[in-house]
Amino acid sequence: MPYSYEQDTGSHMHVKASSPAAPVQEPHYTAVETNKDLETSSPSVNKWIILALAASSSFMTTLDGSIINIGLPTIARTFHTGISGSTEWIIIGYLVIIAATLLTFGRLADILGRKPIFLAGLAIFVLGSALCGLAPSLLFLIIARLFQGIGGALIFSVNIAMITSTFPGNKRGLALGLNAVVVSLGVALGPTLGGIITQYLTWRWIFYVNVPVSLLIILAGWRFFYEPHPESKRHERFDPLGALVLAIALASLTLGLSFGQEWGWTSTATFLAFGTGVVMLGLAILVESHVAHPILNLELLTNRTFVFANISFMLCMMALFAPGFLLPFYFEQLRDFSTIQTGLLLTPLPLTFAFAAPLSGTLADRLGSRWLSPIGLTIACFGLFLLSQMNAQSPLWDILWRLAVTGIGQGIFQSPNTRTMMSAAPLHAQGEASGLLATARVIGQSLSVALTGTVFAALGGTLAGTLLSSPQAHNFSPAHIEGLQHTFEQGFHAAFLVCAGCAAIGIFTALARGSQ
């Protein structure tokens, strides 16, 4: 089942050979040390310019992700193929590349600086977008999307780190909230803009629209992005073995989660993907514990605040990513709305998220993040439960206010949680921290699709929706249509209850992170 990726950041690291018998002991990062580090920002850096660059790249990459789903049916018709199978690689290949490279690019940014990684990502992204638009065949388009994914990963690996390492603690929540506003606008505009572009132009303009925006950000970044960089970081070495092992592990897990339903959860291919991922993750821990400057600093994973904030974020993605791909089926197959109507009806969630995120970020700067994150997930959990009760007769206003409740909850949660997580990491490891944050996003989104998609299909929702939207549906008897609607609703309700359950677990992990 195709789905899109929403913006975040990445990580970076270097390597120095050491004895395999004795793991190198890194200094332990305490909350006091890390918060003190993050309060320091250079007066020569214009933090609002950095925020504008990070936010504009967030908007572009998020818009790209939310637009592409709308255009998939048209792309499939152009290349005379189905929406499933090879066409899914347009989405999933992009996601796998990002998952595989985020931590590595984040570490490289900690070594080389964020500006070169940011600009390189934009350059690759704009070239990849142009190649996608020019694609003469489906294979060419998939390869171009993989290349574009490298650019996306480079951008995501530094995006949040650019903000958190520039803004002092008393303004960091506000900055992250404003960035979240731009991200939500990209999510909100994507379906509607994608529907308009696909209907009145061609699907190729879904990719071409990235080109002028990316070029403007490159010029602005080259001219205005100044980043003081400690000379000592240039002497750290990169960890190629750790990068390779982590890439294989994360790519395998993402691949298994993405195709598990299609291949069959008990199939050889699925077991091979998950088995490879688990084995390589174990090997990665062994490798990373024996190098001086690993790709993944295991000390970060001993920081209770950092770990539980990251787990909470992953659970948030598991809970709140699914509505973006389940609701179009509800609107188009069960309710028979057009693509443009569906896009408009999906906007209340990201718009209310955009309203709540900067407010909660400002409150976190003033009052702390301790209670805001669990309160936000509690509201989101309630909103998901409300969405699970919708049926074929639900009036539009009833749908819209339920989406609004869910969006407000997500907005209240996300800015304080991101602020807490990034503040718990030391200044020199912001790339790694943002890479882990982005990786949690990818894994959470993949798990969201895998869990809810499997539940929806297992209860007959997928088949019922396909039959309801088929040309033969007008020949069905009223009783047959009512039965199909009931089956669809059962799968839909169960899938959203799974989402609500993930949010409920996230409430407790948000509380477990401590007083930060």
Side-chain angles (χ1 to χ4, degrees):
M1 187 176 294
Y3 51 96
S4 65
Y5 179 80
E6 294 177 22
Q7 176 273 339
D8 238 334
T9 51
S11 91
H12 341 344
M13 283 204 154
H14 339 268
V15 172
K16 194 174 192 178
S18 64
S19 169
V24 174
Q25 298 297 315
E26 298 280 353
H28 182 70
Y29 303 129
T30 65
V32 175
E33 288 173 318
T34 58
N35 288 332
K36 182 179 179 180
D37 285 340
L38 283 169
E39 294 300 326
T40 305
S41 60
S42 171
S44 61
V45 177
N46 188 323
K47 56 183 178 292
W48 298 109
I49 289 178
I50 300 299
L51 175 61
L53 290 171
S56 56
S57 62
S58 297
F59 176 82
M60 178 192 66
T61 50
T62 305
L63 184 69
D64 178 78
S66 59
I67 277 183
I68 187 64
N69 280 342
I70 297 294
L72 279 182
T74 306
I75 294 172
R77 286 194 296 270
T78 299
F79 296 120
H80 309 291
T81 185
I83 296 179
S84 60
S86 57
T87 306
E88 288 182 325
W89 276 98
I90 298 171
I91 300 294
I92 295 172
Y94 180 76
L95 187 65
V96 168
I97 287 293
I98 289 174
T101 57
L102 267 172
L103 292 175
T104 296
F105 291 151
R107 179 55 177 159
L108 282 174
D110 280 341
I111 298 173
L112 303 175
R114 296 180 186 107
K115 180 175 181 177
I117 298 297
F118 181 67
L119 294 178
L122 288 167
I124 293 173
F125 191 84
V126 70
L127 179 57
S129 298
L131 291 173
C132 286
L134 293 169
S137 67
L138 181 59
L139 178 61
F140 188 99
L141 176 57
I142 292 171
I143 294 172
R145 278 287 283 176
L146 296 177
F147 181 71
Q148 188 189 31
I150 295 174
L154 285 161
I155 295 169
F156 300 148
S157 70
V158 296
N159 212 293
I160 296 298
M162 287 168 59
I163 297 172
T164 57
S165 61
T166 303
F167 279 79
N170 62 348
K171 289 187 172 66
R172 196 173 303 127
L174 173 62
L176 290 169
L178 292 173
N179 183 67
V181 169
V182 178
V183 170
S184 65
L185 289 176
V187 175
L189 290 175
T192 303
L193 185 58
I196 294 171
I197 290 174
T198 302
Q199 184 168 334
Y200 296 106
L201 298 171
T202 70
W203 61 264
R204 298 181 185 276
W205 282 94
I206 288 175
F207 298 105
Y208 289 149
V209 74
N210 295 326
V211 175
V213 179
S214 299
L215 290 175
L216 286 174
I217 300 173
I218 289 173
L219 292 175
W222 183 269
R223 174 67 179 82
F224 298 111
F225 187 0
Y226 171 69
E227 179 190 25
H229 193 67
E231 188 65 29
S232 61
K233 299 296 285 183
R234 301 184 186 276
H235 300 300
E236 294 186 3
R237 293 196 295 172
F238 182 65
D239 175 15
L241 180 59
L244 177 63
V245 173
L246 281 168
I248 295 173
L250 293 171
S252 298
L253 291 174
T254 305
L255 196 63
L257 290 170
S258 300
F259 281 113
Q261 183 180 331
E262 183 175 325
W263 291 343
W265 293 109
T266 58
S267 67
T268 302
T270 303
F271 273 119
L272 183 62
F274 285 133
T276 301
V278 170
V279 170
M280 296 306 280
L281 271 181
L283 182 60
I285 293 173
L286 179 63
V287 170
E288 299 299 80
S289 64
H290 287 79
V291 294
H293 303 290
I295 294 292
L296 175 60
N297 192 332
L298 300 179
E299 284 291 327
L300 281 174
L301 303 184
T302 65
N303 184 317
R304 174 179 173 177
T305 301
F306 180 88
V307 169
F308 276 101
N310 207 14
I311 292 173
S312 300
F313 182 70
M314 184 174 69
L315 287 164
C316 173
M317 290 297 100
M318 290 173 64
L320 294 164
F321 185 71
F325 75 88
L326 280 177
L327 285 171
F329 292 99
Y330 170 83
F331 288 129
E332 295 182 26
Q333 294 182 340
L334 188 66
R335 306 299 299 271
D336 198 28
F337 293 138
S338 69
T339 301
I340 293 179
Q341 287 175 316
T342 296
L344 290 171
L345 289 169
L346 288 172
T347 56
L349 197 155
L351 288 181
T352 50
F353 172 86
F355 170 78
L359 293 179
S360 67
T362 302
L363 284 174
D365 289 336
R366 296 179 179 179
L367 307 175
S369 306
R370 177 70 177 97
W371 297 106
L372 285 171
S373 295
I375 289 172
L377 271 183
T378 301
I379 296 172
C381 180
F382 180 61
L384 290 166
F385 173 77
L386 293 173
L387 289 173
S388 74
Q389 304 305 302
M390 296 191 307
N391 55 39
Q393 289 76 42
S394 297
L396 290 183
W397 67 267
D398 199 28
I399 298 171
L400 297 180
W401 78 264
R402 294 169 193 246
L403 286 169
V405 170
T406 308
I408 289 171
Q410 183 178 8
I412 293 174
F413 164 81
Q414 196 157 311
S415 297
N417 189 77
T418 302
R419 178 185 182 274
T420 295
M421 179 180 167
M422 297 301 293
S423 296
L427 184 61
H428 66 268
Q430 288 291 291
E432 294 176 67
S434 60
L436 284 167
L437 179 69
T439 302
R441 181 187 292 275
V442 175
I443 298 300
Q445 290 174 340
S446 300
L447 283 169
S448 180
V449 172
L451 287 173
T452 56
T454 298
V455 169
F456 184 63
L459 294 177
T462 301
L463 178 59
T466 301
L467 290 173
L468 285 169
S469 60
S470 68
Q472 294 78 25
H474 66 276
N475 296 323
F476 296 160
S477 67
H480 189 191
I481 291 177
E482 185 178 346
L484 290 173
Q485 289 176 338
H486 179 69
T487 301
F488 184 99
E489 290 168 4
Q490 278 188 319
F492 183 83
H493 294 168
F496 269 85
L497 288 175
V498 169
C499 294
C502 292
I505 297 171
I507 296 169
F508 293 101
T509 59
L511 290 170
R513 74 184 187 209
S515 59
Q516 293 294 314

mmCIF file of all heavy atoms in Angstrom, residues 409-443:
data_model
loop_
_atom_site.group_PDB
_atom_site.id
_atom_site.type_symbol
_atom_site.label_atom_id
_atom_site.label_comp_id
_atom_site.label_asym_id
_atom_site.label_seq_id
_atom_site.Cartn_x
_atom_site.Cartn_y
_atom_site.Cartn_z
ATOM 1 N N GLY A 409 -4.425 17.560 19.016
ATOM 2 C CA GLY A 409 -3.651 16.689 19.901
ATOM 3 C C GLY A 409 -2.247 16.448 19.386
ATOM 4 O O GLY A 409 -1.274 16.502 20.148
ATOM 5 N N GLN A 410 -2.118 16.184 18.077
ATOM 6 C CA GLN A 410 -0.794 15.956 17.508
ATOM 7 C C GLN A 410 0.074 17.209 17.620
ATOM 8 O O GLN A 410 1.263 17.130 17.924
ATOM 9 C CB GLN A 410 -0.909 15.532 16.045
ATOM 10 C CG GLN A 410 0.436 15.197 15.415
ATOM 11 C CD GLN A 410 0.300 14.737 13.968
ATOM 12 O OE1 GLN A 410 -0.775 14.794 13.383
ATOM 13 N NE2 GLN A 410 1.396 14.281 13.383
ATOM 14 N N GLY A 411 -0.532 18.377 17.376
ATOM 15 C CA GLY A 411 0.223 19.630 17.474
ATOM 16 C C GLY A 411 0.707 19.909 18.881
ATOM 17 O O GLY A 411 1.831 20.383 19.089
ATOM 18 N N ILE A 412 -0.137 19.634 19.880
ATOM 19 C CA ILE A 412 0.259 19.849 21.281
ATOM 20 C C ILE A 412 1.397 18.908 21.659
ATOM 21 O O ILE A 412 2.297 19.274 22.422
ATOM 22 C CB ILE A 412 -0.951 19.649 22.211
ATOM 23 C CG1 ILE A 412 -1.981 20.756 21.978
ATOM 24 C CG2 ILE A 412 -0.518 19.629 23.679
ATOM 25 C CD1 ILE A 412 -3.276 20.565 22.742
ATOM 26 N N PHE A 413 1.386 17.703 21.130
ATOM 27 C CA PHE A 413 2.425 16.721 21.474
ATOM 28 C C PHE A 413 3.767 17.015 20.819
ATOM 29 O O PHE A 413 4.815 16.966 21.467
ATOM 30 C CB PHE A 413 1.965 15.316 21.057
ATOM 31 C CG PHE A 413 3.090 14.309 21.007
ATOM 32 C CD1 PHE A 413 3.545 13.700 22.169
ATOM 33 C CD2 PHE A 413 3.720 13.989 19.807
ATOM 34 C CE1 PHE A 413 4.599 12.786 22.133
ATOM 35 C CE2 PHE A 413 4.761 13.077 19.754
ATOM 36 C CZ PHE A 413 5.200 12.474 20.924
ATOM 37 N N GLN A 414 3.771 17.308 19.520
ATOM 38 C CA GLN A 414 4.993 17.155 18.743
ATOM 39 C C GLN A 414 6.081 18.174 19.063
ATOM 40 O O GLN A 414 7.251 17.802 19.233
ATOM 41 C CB GLN A 414 4.664 17.188 17.242
ATOM 42 C CG GLN A 414 5.794 16.653 16.386
ATOM 43 C CD GLN A 414 5.299 16.176 15.032
ATOM 44 O OE1 GLN A 414 4.339 15.434 14.925
ATOM 45 N NE2 GLN A 414 5.973 16.619 13.988
ATOM 46 N N SER A 415 5.744 19.462 19.133
ATOM 47 C CA SER A 415 6.786 20.467 19.386
ATOM 48 C C SER A 415 7.467 20.270 20.740
ATOM 49 O O SER A 415 8.708 20.259 20.818
ATOM 50 C CB SER A 415 6.200 21.876 19.282
ATOM 51 O OG SER A 415 5.721 22.118 17.980
ATOM 52 N N PRO A 416 6.728 20.114 21.859
ATOM 53 C CA PRO A 416 7.404 19.878 23.145
ATOM 54 C C PRO A 416 8.222 18.594 23.161
ATOM 55 O O PRO A 416 9.301 18.549 23.760
ATOM 56 C CB PRO A 416 6.237 19.794 24.137
ATOM 57 C CG PRO A 416 5.133 20.546 23.502
ATOM 58 C CD PRO A 416 5.274 20.281 22.036
ATOM 59 N N ASN A 417 7.727 17.544 22.509
ATOM 60 C CA ASN A 417 8.464 16.278 22.506
ATOM 61 C C ASN A 417 9.767 16.392 21.729
ATOM 62 O O ASN A 417 10.813 15.906 22.175
ATOM 63 C CB ASN A 417 7.595 15.171 21.914
ATOM 64 C CG ASN A 417 8.225 13.800 22.085
ATOM 65 O OD1 ASN A 417 8.194 13.223 23.160
ATOM 66 N ND2 ASN A 417 8.813 13.272 21.018
ATOM 67 N N THR A 418 9.713 17.044 20.558
ATOM 68 C CA THR A 418 10.940 17.248 19.778
ATOM 69 C C THR A 418 11.915 18.129 20.538
ATOM 70 O O THR A 418 13.129 17.882 20.545
ATOM 71 C CB THR A 418 10.601 17.879 18.425
ATOM 72 O OG1 THR A 418 9.679 17.040 17.729
ATOM 73 C CG2 THR A 418 11.856 18.053 17.570
ATOM 74 N N ARG A 419 11.422 19.166 21.183
ATOM 75 C CA ARG A 419 12.257 20.058 21.992
ATOM 76 C C ARG A 419 12.963 19.279 23.093
ATOM 77 O O ARG A 419 14.167 19.440 23.333
ATOM 78 C CB ARG A 419 11.391 21.158 22.589
ATOM 79 C CG ARG A 419 12.118 22.146 23.492
ATOM 80 C CD ARG A 419 11.099 23.102 24.118
ATOM 81 N NE ARG A 419 11.763 24.095 24.942
ATOM 82 C CZ ARG A 419 12.094 23.928 26.202
ATOM 83 N NH1 ARG A 419 11.845 22.756 26.794
ATOM 84 N NH2 ARG A 419 12.672 24.897 26.887
ATOM 85 N N THR A 420 12.221 18.407 23.780
ATOM 86 C CA THR A 420 12.791 17.605 24.857
ATOM 87 C C THR A 420 13.868 16.667 24.344
ATOM 88 O O THR A 420 14.963 16.562 24.914
ATOM 89 C CB THR A 420 11.688 16.776 25.539
ATOM 90 O OG1 THR A 420 10.772 17.665 26.168
ATOM 91 C CG2 THR A 420 12.272 15.836 26.584
ATOM 92 N N MET A 421 13.574 15.991 23.244
ATOM 93 C CA MET A 421 14.513 15.011 22.715
ATOM 94 C C MET A 421 15.814 15.669 22.255
ATOM 95 O O MET A 421 16.910 15.210 22.592
ATOM 96 C CB MET A 421 13.868 14.265 21.546
ATOM 97 C CG MET A 421 14.787 13.238 20.906
ATOM 98 S SD MET A 421 13.980 12.399 19.538
ATOM 99 C CE MET A 421 15.409 11.606 18.792
ATOM 100 N N MET A 422 15.713 16.760 21.501
ATOM 101 C CA MET A 422 16.909 17.402 20.977
ATOM 102 C C MET A 422 17.698 18.106 22.080
ATOM 103 O O MET A 422 18.921 18.170 22.027
ATOM 104 C CB MET A 422 16.532 18.395 19.879
ATOM 105 C CG MET A 422 15.866 17.747 18.666
ATOM 106 S SD MET A 422 16.867 16.480 17.854
ATOM 107 C CE MET A 422 18.200 17.482 17.202
ATOM 108 N N SER A 423 17.024 18.611 23.102
ATOM 109 C CA SER A 423 17.721 19.248 24.221
ATOM 110 C C SER A 423 18.447 18.230 25.084
ATOM 111 O O SER A 423 19.379 18.577 25.817
ATOM 112 C CB SER A 423 16.720 20.038 25.080
ATOM 113 O OG SER A 423 16.153 21.095 24.355
ATOM 114 N N ALA A 424 18.016 16.974 25.027
ATOM 115 C CA ALA A 424 18.665 15.926 25.821
ATOM 116 C C ALA A 424 19.951 15.436 25.179
ATOM 117 O O ALA A 424 20.724 14.710 25.811
ATOM 118 C CB ALA A 424 17.708 14.749 26.005
ATOM 119 N N ALA A 425 20.197 15.828 23.917
ATOM 120 C CA ALA A 425 21.423 15.422 23.219
ATOM 121 C C ALA A 425 22.430 16.572 23.263
ATOM 122 O O ALA A 425 22.043 17.738 23.202
ATOM 123 C CB ALA A 425 21.115 15.064 21.769
ATOM 124 N N PRO A 426 23.724 16.277 23.366
ATOM 125 C CA PRO A 426 24.731 17.331 23.392
ATOM 126 C C PRO A 426 24.800 18.064 22.060
ATOM 127 O O PRO A 426 24.399 17.541 21.022
ATOM 128 C CB PRO A 426 26.032 16.576 23.672
ATOM 129 C CG PRO A 426 25.772 15.187 23.219
ATOM 130 C CD PRO A 426 24.325 14.932 23.460
ATOM 131 N N LEU A 427 25.314 19.289 22.100
ATOM 132 C CA LEU A 427 25.360 20.136 20.908
ATOM 133 C C LEU A 427 26.131 19.471 19.780
ATOM 134 O O LEU A 427 25.732 19.550 18.617
ATOM 135 C CB LEU A 427 25.992 21.489 21.267
ATOM 136 C CG LEU A 427 26.023 22.534 20.158
ATOM 137 C CD1 LEU A 427 24.613 22.874 19.707
ATOM 138 C CD2 LEU A 427 26.749 23.788 20.633
ATOM 139 N N HIS A 428 27.246 18.791 20.099
ATOM 140 C CA HIS A 428 28.061 18.196 19.049
ATOM 141 C C HIS A 428 27.453 16.923 18.475
ATOM 142 O O HIS A 428 27.975 16.383 17.508
ATOM 143 C CB HIS A 428 29.477 17.898 19.586
ATOM 144 C CG HIS A 428 29.500 16.847 20.653
ATOM 145 N ND1 HIS A 428 29.413 17.163 21.995
ATOM 146 C CD2 HIS A 428 29.582 15.494 20.581
ATOM 147 C CE1 HIS A 428 29.461 16.045 22.699
ATOM 148 N NE2 HIS A 428 29.556 15.021 21.870
ATOM 149 N N ALA A 429 26.349 16.448 19.057
ATOM 150 C CA ALA A 429 25.691 15.240 18.541
ATOM 151 C C ALA A 429 24.286 15.541 18.037
ATOM 152 O O ALA A 429 23.448 14.649 17.957
ATOM 153 C CB ALA A 429 25.647 14.168 19.618
ATOM 154 N N GLN A 430 24.024 16.803 17.696
ATOM 155 C CA GLN A 430 22.693 17.158 17.213
ATOM 156 C C GLN A 430 22.349 16.445 15.905
ATOM 157 O O GLN A 430 21.192 16.103 15.648
ATOM 158 C CB GLN A 430 22.588 18.673 17.031
ATOM 159 C CG GLN A 430 22.540 19.438 18.335
ATOM 160 C CD GLN A 430 21.255 19.212 19.092
ATOM 161 O OE1 GLN A 430 20.190 19.647 18.671
ATOM 162 N NE2 GLN A 430 21.331 18.514 20.214
ATOM 163 N N GLY A 431 23.343 16.218 15.066
ATOM 164 C CA GLY A 431 23.101 15.501 13.817
ATOM 165 C C GLY A 431 22.653 14.073 14.073
ATOM 166 O O GLY A 431 21.709 13.584 13.465
ATOM 167 N N GLU A 432 23.369 13.409 14.975
ATOM 168 C CA GLU A 432 22.980 12.040 15.340
ATOM 169 C C GLU A 432 21.571 12.009 15.918
ATOM 170 O O GLU A 432 20.762 11.137 15.590
ATOM 171 C CB GLU A 432 23.949 11.485 16.380
ATOM 172 C CG GLU A 432 25.353 11.289 15.898
ATOM 173 C CD GLU A 432 26.221 10.840 17.057
ATOM 174 O OE1 GLU A 432 25.994 9.716 17.534
ATOM 175 O OE2 GLU A 432 27.094 11.604 17.477
ATOM 176 N N ALA A 433 21.300 12.961 16.808
ATOM 177 C CA ALA A 433 19.992 12.990 17.468
ATOM 178 C C ALA A 433 18.874 13.216 16.459
ATOM 179 O O ALA A 433 17.837 12.541 16.495
ATOM 180 C CB ALA A 433 19.972 14.086 18.534
ATOM 181 N N SER A 434 19.084 14.162 15.542
ATOM 182 C CA SER A 434 18.046 14.424 14.557
ATOM 183 C C SER A 434 17.919 13.268 13.576
ATOM 184 O O SER A 434 16.834 13.008 13.045
ATOM 185 C CB SER A 434 18.318 15.740 13.824
ATOM 186 O OG SER A 434 19.554 15.689 13.154
ATOM 187 N N GLY A 435 19.019 12.555 13.337
ATOM 188 C CA GLY A 435 18.946 11.363 12.496
ATOM 189 C C GLY A 435 18.112 10.276 13.141
ATOM 190 O O GLY A 435 17.320 9.595 12.488
ATOM 191 N N LEU A 436 18.286 10.094 14.443
ATOM 192 C CA LEU A 436 17.478 9.115 15.167
ATOM 193 C C LEU A 436 16.010 9.530 15.201
ATOM 194 O O LEU A 436 15.106 8.691 15.104
ATOM 195 C CB LEU A 436 18.006 8.953 16.594
ATOM 196 C CG LEU A 436 19.300 8.131 16.713
ATOM 197 C CD1 LEU A 436 19.900 8.294 18.106
ATOM 198 C CD2 LEU A 436 19.030 6.657 16.425
ATOM 199 N N LEU A 437 15.765 10.826 15.323
ATOM 200 C CA LEU A 437 14.395 11.328 15.285
ATOM 201 C C LEU A 437 13.751 11.020 13.938
ATOM 202 O O LEU A 437 12.617 10.527 13.865
ATOM 203 C CB LEU A 437 14.397 12.831 15.542
ATOM 204 C CG LEU A 437 13.041 13.545 15.508
ATOM 205 C CD1 LEU A 437 12.191 13.127 16.694
ATOM 206 C CD2 LEU A 437 13.235 15.050 15.497
ATOM 207 N N ALA A 438 14.477 11.291 12.847
ATOM 208 C CA ALA A 438 13.954 11.020 11.515
ATOM 209 C C ALA A 438 13.783 9.533 11.263
ATOM 210 O O ALA A 438 12.831 9.101 10.610
ATOM 211 C CB ALA A 438 14.884 11.623 10.457
ATOM 212 N N THR A 439 14.708 8.735 11.793
ATOM 213 C CA THR A 439 14.589 7.283 11.638
ATOM 214 C C THR A 439 13.368 6.764 12.386
ATOM 215 O O THR A 439 12.648 5.881 11.893
ATOM 216 C CB THR A 439 15.859 6.590 12.156
ATOM 217 O OG1 THR A 439 16.995 7.093 11.433
ATOM 218 C CG2 THR A 439 15.780 5.084 11.958
ATOM 219 N N ALA A 440 13.120 7.310 13.579
ATOM 220 C CA ALA A 440 11.912 6.932 14.319
ATOM 221 C C ALA A 440 10.661 7.272 13.523
ATOM 222 O O ALA A 440 9.671 6.524 13.538
ATOM 223 C CB ALA A 440 11.880 7.639 15.674
ATOM 224 N N ARG A 441 10.704 8.383 12.805
ATOM 225 C CA ARG A 441 9.575 8.768 11.959
ATOM 226 C C ARG A 441 9.345 7.743 10.855
ATOM 227 O O ARG A 441 8.221 7.288 10.627
ATOM 228 C CB ARG A 441 9.812 10.149 11.345
ATOM 229 C CG ARG A 441 8.667 10.623 10.459
ATOM 230 C CD ARG A 441 9.018 11.919 9.750
ATOM 231 N NE ARG A 441 9.112 13.020 10.675
ATOM 232 C CZ ARG A 441 8.074 13.740 11.073
ATOM 233 N NH1 ARG A 441 6.861 13.450 10.641
ATOM 234 N NH2 ARG A 441 8.238 14.753 11.895
ATOM 235 N N VAL A 442 10.424 7.368 10.170
ATOM 236 C CA VAL A 442 10.299 6.406 9.065
ATOM 237 C C VAL A 442 9.784 5.062 9.567
ATOM 238 O O VAL A 442 8.863 4.468 8.985
ATOM 239 C CB VAL A 442 11.656 6.221 8.358
ATOM 240 C CG1 VAL A 442 11.569 5.132 7.303
ATOM 241 C CG2 VAL A 442 12.101 7.531 7.716
ATOM 242 N N ILE A 443 10.392 4.563 10.649
ATOM 243 C CA ILE A 443 9.967 3.270 11.192
ATOM 244 C C ILE A 443 8.528 3.347 11.693
ATOM 245 O O ILE A 443 7.722 2.425 11.485
ATOM 246 C CB ILE A 443 10.898 2.828 12.335
ATOM 247 C CG1 ILE A 443 12.333 2.645 11.808
ATOM 248 C CG2 ILE A 443 10.403 1.532 12.949
ATOM 249 C CD1 ILE A 443 12.480 1.608 10.728
#
